[in-house]
Amino acid sequence: MSARSRTLALHGAVVAAILALHFILPDYHHGILARTMVLAVYAMAYNVMFGYTGLLSLGHALFFAAGMYGMGLSSIHLGFSPGPAIVCGVAAAFAVSLIVGILALRTSGVALMIVTLMFAQAGWYLVLYFGEYTRGDEGFVIPRAARMLAGFDLADASNRYIAALVLFAFGLVVTLKAVESRFGRVLVAIRENEERARMLGYDVFRYKLGAVVLSGTLSGLAGACYGILFGYVGATFASVQYSILPLLWVLLGGASTVLGPFVGTYFMTYLIDISSAYTTAYMLVAGVVLVVLTLFARQGIMGEVRRRLIPWLP
Amino acid sequence: MDFGPYLVLAVLEGSVQAAVLALTAVGLSLVFGVMRVVNVAHGEFFMLGAVAAWAIAQSFAGHPAVGFIAALVFAPLLVGLIATGADMVILKRLGYDPENTIVATIGMLYIIQQLTLMTYGPDARPVPPPFNTRLSIPWFEWGDGGLALVWPWGLSTTSYKLAVIAAAAVILVALWLAISRTRAGLIMRATQQDREMAQAFGMPVAWVNALVFGLGAGLAALAAVLIVPIQQAHYLMGEEPLLLSFIVVIIGGLGSLAGTVAAAILIGMSDGIISVFFSPTLAKILSTLLVAMVLVFRPQGLFGHPPR
Amino acid sequence: MAAVNLLATKGLTRTFGGLVAVDRVDFAVPRGQVRALIGPNGAGKTTLVGMLCGRIAATSGAITFDGRDITELPAHRRIAMGMAYTFQVTSIFARLSLRENVALAVRRCGRLDERQVERKVAEALSRVRLTEPADQMAGDLSYGHQRLLEIAMGIAQEPQLLILDEPTQGLADSEIEGFNALIRSMAGATTIVLIEHNMDVVMETADYITVLNFGEILAEGKPQAIRADAAVQAAYLGSA
């Protein structure tokens, strides 16, 4: 089997398996998987920048929230139907990531982390400041009537699962395409040795900007879809916690693997869900996982799988 | 109240804020300067200081001053000890790699915060101040008989707030003397200048790291003990000082002590003043954007000199 | 108008603080020439080529390349115009395969399909006589072979001007012979600027030599003339 077809077979099998689970899973697990798939797209987007390009952002919530609020505000205040509202959200995330990229990429390393963090904090405060429109911390609900997409009621759990799966498959295709393309190879080269990549004649800044914009726009798509699928838009999604979570998911699942972000998101969602049944301090799990991962398992789950079992894993 | 007295009030509140902020930020700056570690858990050490102060003050009966003084001594020590342990168990094993340590300190942030939630609970609890006399402040007004002294209603502060400002100033001067005049300070500065050289000269770099991390956390805890009679101890109270300390350390120039103090005064005052006249949220938006822009266009900070 | 000189500098100067590393250098290389740049340590050789390829900004002076003023161009634009640079301290993608290292160099130069890329990669690797399997990690190569890989990345770009900064450092004698043969095979088609300490390599490969000392050009000439130059001997050869 050629490298290309075995990659297609593997990822096709994952999507098919999730489709099969749709008919089997009990409600609780069905719901978690639907949510995980949407958040996994956010994690995959984060991975484009962190895993493949080696740029650690602490402010991705800004892009996620740009997509979510671009969708939500245009839906509530302008009466947009889901399609245009999602487009609106994606456009907002594209614009925000372009501006943040142009500014933040003048820095690198620790400074880049702090700059992205600060931009995201400013975005979060903006949501709170314009509480008149955003309803601040409390957030707002997208009414059921505004969640009809091409005749499908997205408030219905079954439709929602399928919609999430379509989004997830789209995310997989985009990241696979990006990673295996010339563009993706250059991103990896920049991660490995930026100066060498520059001296091979690559315009490093433009490639990095491309990575930020792709990552930010895809994050925005995930945010917009999360809002429309689950019918709620709130400031939590703009807070620093939602910048840390994708980092956590990607580290756990395995940075610079295509399936890692999904695996990490899935495990972490369960861990947090289970622990929140026992204690309000469920974020303790996140803290412990972060420390343990940095100390003992930098590769993450799929990174280990690649190292031990499937060396060709993309 | 007229504009003038209002401004005086804002400046006073801003000074208290700036004093506490300077202590906290100097702790963060020290850790960054000597260890090159960006400690995202710094705010949680601040919070731990406040919670420890409450616990210590609780266990002393009698005059509030007794419990408070005990807290002032023991809370920073306790927090410093915890931080030293965290450095030896976690950060040292990561070899102080910048990205890994940031991720690990994010993990520590959640661990400390959530453990506090599990044990101390979600309530905000006060610590009584050791003394708290209300002091009215006079204001000058042009009246019929020329310049007259008036006592506008609401223009007042407390003796405790003034003591906080004084205490922070004393601690900062003592810290500066310790760093510039003592042998321990010399070793710290040597490590900051050239870590490998310091190691080659047989300086105990591992211990310097552990102690500096403890000292940084202890300073944050000390600041928290000072402020806890004015604010209350709460498990989420670390977020704001963390963000403000970041802002201050970056605007002041990473690792520069004098710059940090200057920036703390600038940010503490302007935050206080903008918050009084406009909205606190707007103040936060402006200062976070300012920090981002400083890092992008002037990475050495507003007060630093460009590297040659 | 085809200029005779592919590359020329005029009054090129670089200072670091108070130190003048390169001092008003006028340096010109005709098309197709193999030019060696020699001089004692600290003479400013690496700084000079750093300015040529854009890694280091010039303090003053001008550089023309292929008939165009490139003084203000960023490094990647100069490379895109047909320069290639190999680092003095080996700089490869250690965690990528040999194939990917060279393929990154090949792919930048034009829209090729993967089969063509693969062919050019194999060609470049065999020209520098790297025989390791192409899917081996570059970081696992010996130091000398990493130097060869670095050179392979340079020639894979099919540059007009190839700048080599101490390419033979760390190579075994047999590998140096191979290197000399490689350079001679490229001479005429590719213009080469070569910083080199090994005088045997210089004498064997160079058409023309420029001697740099204290940031200034001390002498220029054919290998035989330079070998006979008393001032050069005093400054450089005499100490070798």
Side-chain angles (χ1 to χ4, degrees):
Chain A
M1 220 179 349
S2 79
R4 198 174 185 77
S5 50
R6 95 189 150 189
T7 303
L8 273 177
L10 173 72
H11 294 88
V14 170
V15 171
I18 297 176
L19 182 61
L21 286 173
H22 171 53
F23 302 103
I24 309 168
L25 283 181
D27 281 353
Y28 166 74
H29 299 282
H30 187 267
I32 284 202
L33 188 50
R35 191 146 52 93
T36 302
M37 283 191 280
V38 181
L39 293 177
V41 174
Y42 180 27
M44 285 190 253
Y46 187 82
N47 195 25
V48 169
M49 224 175 116
F50 171 63
Y52 289 100
T53 323
L55 299 170
L56 204 165
S57 146
L58 291 180
H60 253 52
L62 181 63
F63 308 137
F64 190 76
M68 184 179 255
Y69 277 94
M71 182 283 298
L73 292 176
S74 64
S75 167
I76 289 288
H77 295 292
L78 305 175
F80 281 19
S81 57
I86 290 174
V87 170
C88 207
V90 172
F94 172 82
V96 170
S97 55
L98 185 65
I99 295 167
V100 168
I102 288 173
L103 289 169
L105 287 176
R106 293 173 53 115
T107 65
S108 61
V110 170
L112 177 73
M113 298 183 215
I114 297 173
V115 169
T116 50
L117 176 70
M118 288 300 158
F119 276 126
Q121 284 299 102
W124 179 56
Y125 287 126
L126 270 177
V127 169
L128 298 180
Y129 188 70
F130 289 104
E132 198 183 322
Y133 305 99
T134 64
R135 310 287 312 275
D137 265 331
E138 196 184 310
F140 57 88
V141 167
I142 313 266
R144 190 159 190 160
R147 291 164 66 195
M148 297 291 291
L149 183 62
F152 289 100
D153 180 6
L154 296 176
D156 171 69
S158 182
N159 289 342
R160 182 155 67 199
Y161 186 96
I162 298 298
L165 180 57
V166 170
L167 175 70
F168 174 65
F170 174 76
L172 273 184
V173 170
V174 168
T175 28
L176 266 177
K177 275 268 178 212
V179 167
E180 306 218 313
S181 70
R182 200 182 101 104
F183 170 70
R185 305 284 185 96
V186 177
L187 295 187
V188 171
I190 291 172
R191 178 191 74 196
E192 290 296 315
N193 188 342
E194 183 169 335
E195 182 62 6
R196 179 73 258 192
R198 186 193 325 279
M199 295 315 289
L200 283 180
Y202 290 108
D203 186 344
V204 169
F205 179 84
R206 285 183 56 178
Y207 277 92
K208 288 206 268 189
L209 186 59
V212 173
V213 170
L214 173 62
S215 174
T217 308
L218 197 56
S219 300
L221 175 66
C225 291
Y226 194 93
I228 200 109
L229 287 177
F230 298 94
Y232 171 73
V233 172
T236 324
F237 297 108
S239 71
V240 67
Q241 184 174 329
Y242 267 80
S243 293
I244 305 297
L245 281 174
L247 170 66
L248 177 63
W249 296 328
V250 169
L251 278 175
L252 177 61
S256 77
T257 63
V258 171
L259 284 173
F262 170 69
V263 174
T265 312
Y266 195 56
F267 270 82
M268 209 58 227
T269 308
Y270 266 107
L271 268 179
I272 288 185
D273 215 65
I274 292 167
S275 54
S276 63
Y278 295 95
T279 167
T280 48
Y282 56 86
M283 282 302 284
L284 179 63
V285 184
V288 172
V289 170
L290 275 176
V291 171
V292 168
L293 280 173
T294 48
L295 277 179
F296 304 109
R298 286 294 290 165
Q299 307 282 324
I301 296 169
M302 295 313 278
E304 281 299 313
V305 169
R306 168 151 67 192
R307 199 165 66 87
R308 287 163 197 258
L309 303 171
I310 322 177
W312 52 266
L313 194 72
Chain B
M1 237 189 310
D2 293 334
F3 178 78
Y6 212 38
L7 185 67
V8 171
L9 197 63
V11 167
L12 264 172
E13 292 299 315
S15 310
V16 176
Q17 158 110 256
V20 175
L21 184 55
L23 278 182
T24 317
V26 161
L28 188 69
S29 173
L30 214 56
V31 168
F32 181 81
V34 177
M35 305 167 66
R36 299 277 131 188
V37 164
V38 177
N39 178 17
V40 184
H42 195 66
E44 303 312 307
F45 291 125
F46 179 92
M47 178 274 288
L48 267 189
V51 169
W54 174 84
I56 294 168
Q58 276 295 299
S59 56
F60 282 88
H63 195 271
V66 182
F68 181 80
I69 288 168
L72 205 54
V73 175
F74 292 113
L77 272 180
L78 180 71
V79 173
L81 220 60
I82 293 174
T84 303
D87 171 75
M88 293 198 292
V89 174
I90 300 171
L91 301 184
K92 187 178 160 196
R93 297 182 50 170
L94 294 174
Y96 302 105
D97 168 75
E99 292 197 347
N100 281 342
T101 42
I102 284 207
V103 176
T105 55
I106 293 172
M108 282 158 57
L109 178 157
Y110 282 120
I111 293 175
I112 295 170
Q113 183 191 78
Q114 301 290 308
L115 283 178
T116 309
L117 172 62
M118 287 171 88
T119 49
Y120 172 83
D123 302 328
R125 297 182 173 127
V127 171
F131 47 86
N132 204 22
T133 320
R134 193 166 194 80
L135 305 171
S136 293
I137 301 168
W139 185 250
F140 302 97
E141 226 167 52
W142 285 103
D144 299 334
L147 196 63
L149 211 55
V150 293
W151 302 86
W153 189 85
L155 182 57
S156 70
T157 186
T158 65
S159 56
Y160 183 72
K161 285 185 179 172
L162 295 182
V164 168
I165 300 172
V170 170
I171 294 165
L172 285 171
V173 169
L175 183 71
W176 177 73
L177 285 176
I179 291 176
S180 57
R181 300 286 160 82
T182 67
R183 198 179 138 67
L186 179 73
I187 291 178
M188 249 172 63
R189 279 181 292 140
T191 312
Q192 171 163 11
Q193 297 264 316
D194 191 333
R195 159 175 305 271
E196 271 153 40
M197 195 62 100
Q199 196 131 33
F201 274 104
M203 293 185 190
V205 171
W207 274 107
V208 173
N209 283 337
L211 292 178
V212 165
F213 201 69
L215 176 63
L219 281 169
L222 192 56
V225 179
L226 287 176
I227 202 69
V228 82
I230 301 172
Q231 281 171 14
Q232 299 186 335
H234 182 249
Y235 82 103
L236 286 178
M237 74 188 297
E239 281 177 16
E240 183 156 315
L242 173 69
L243 185 71
L244 286 175
S245 305
F246 262 103
I247 294 173
V248 161
V249 170
I250 288 159
I251 289 180
L254 286 166
S256 141
L257 220 61
T260 303
V261 173
I265 293 169
L266 175 76
I267 292 294
M269 296 292 258
S270 58
D271 196 59
I273 291 170
I274 297 176
S275 301
V276 167
F277 289 106
F278 302 98
S279 111
T281 314
L282 185 63
K284 296 280 190 313
I285 294 174
L286 294 179
S287 43
T288 45
L289 287 180
L290 175 66
V291 168
M293 291 308 163
V294 165
L295 272 175
V296 170
F297 295 107
R298 213 184 136 79
Q300 70 275 18
L302 287 183
F303 304 113
H305 298 287
R308 272 185 302 154
Chain C
M1 181 202 79
V4 180
N5 289 331
L6 177 64
L7 176 81
T9 73
K10 200 154 183 58
L12 198 59
T13 302
R14 171 71 205 202
T15 58
F16 295 104
L19 182 83
V20 184
V22 172
D23 193 5
R24 287 161 292 170
V25 164
D26 298 331
F27 176 75
V29 186
R31 280 178 197 277
Q33 193 182 66
V34 177
R35 171 71 63 93
L37 196 56
I38 65 171
N41 284 326
K45 303 183 296 282
T46 295
T47 306
L48 176 58
V49 297
M51 285 191 283
L52 297 181
C53 67
R55 291 187 76 207
I56 301 171
T59 308
S60 64
I63 310 166
T64 52
F65 176 67
D66 203 10
R68 200 175 146 193
D69 187 329
I70 59 163
T71 318
E72 300 297 327
L73 284 189
H76 66 266
R77 297 275 303 277
R78 301 186 194 193
I79 307 288
M81 283 178 69
M83 276 192 196
Y85 175 80
T86 70
F87 286 72
Q88 178 181 22
V89 178
T90 308
S91 177
I92 52 170
F93 303 106
R95 295 198 301 173
L96 302 180
S97 66
L98 303 189
R99 177 188 293 117
E100 185 64 14
N101 267 273
V102 183
L104 279 162
V106 173
R107 278 195 219 107
R108 205 264 311 144
C109 305
R111 291 267 159 210
L112 300 170
D113 67 43
E114 277 303 307
R115 272 228 319 282
Q116 289 167 300
V117 171
E118 187 73 11
R119 208 186 60 235
K120 291 198 178 227
V121 168
E123 192 183 299
L125 286 174
S126 78
R127 282 186 77 183
V128 298
R129 304 184 187 186
L130 262 179
T131 50
E132 278 87 347
D135 50 10
Q136 188 177 329
M137 289 293 130
D140 295 341
L141 292 176
S142 69
Y143 180 75
H145 285 200
Q146 291 188 8
R147 302 288 315 162
L148 292 179
L149 178 61
E150 179 96 54
I151 297 166
M153 291 163 77
I155 62 175
Q157 297 173 62
E158 297 174 359
Q160 294 191 65
L161 173 69
L162 178 59
I163 300 173
L164 299 162
D165 198 346
E166 301 206 18
T168 64
Q169 195 186 49
L171 293 192
D173 286 348
S174 63
E175 287 162 352
I176 288 180
E177 272 169 40
F179 173 81
N180 289 347
L182 175 66
I183 296 300
R184 290 318 316 167
S185 75
M186 295 170 73
T190 305
T191 312
I192 295 174
V193 170
L194 173 71
I195 295 184
E196 187 53 71
H197 274 298
N198 184 331
M199 286 314 290
D200 294 337
V201 173
V202 171
M203 291 303 165
E204 178 103 359
T205 58
D207 300 318
Y208 210 74
I209 298 177
T210 298
V211 186
L212 221 53
N213 198 21
F214 296 115
E216 295 175 331
I217 292 180
L218 180 69
E220 279 189 312
K222 291 197 180 296
Q224 301 317 320
I226 292 296
R227 199 196 281 272
D229 190 306
V232 175
Q233 283 186 8
Y236 181 66
L237 298 177
S239 67

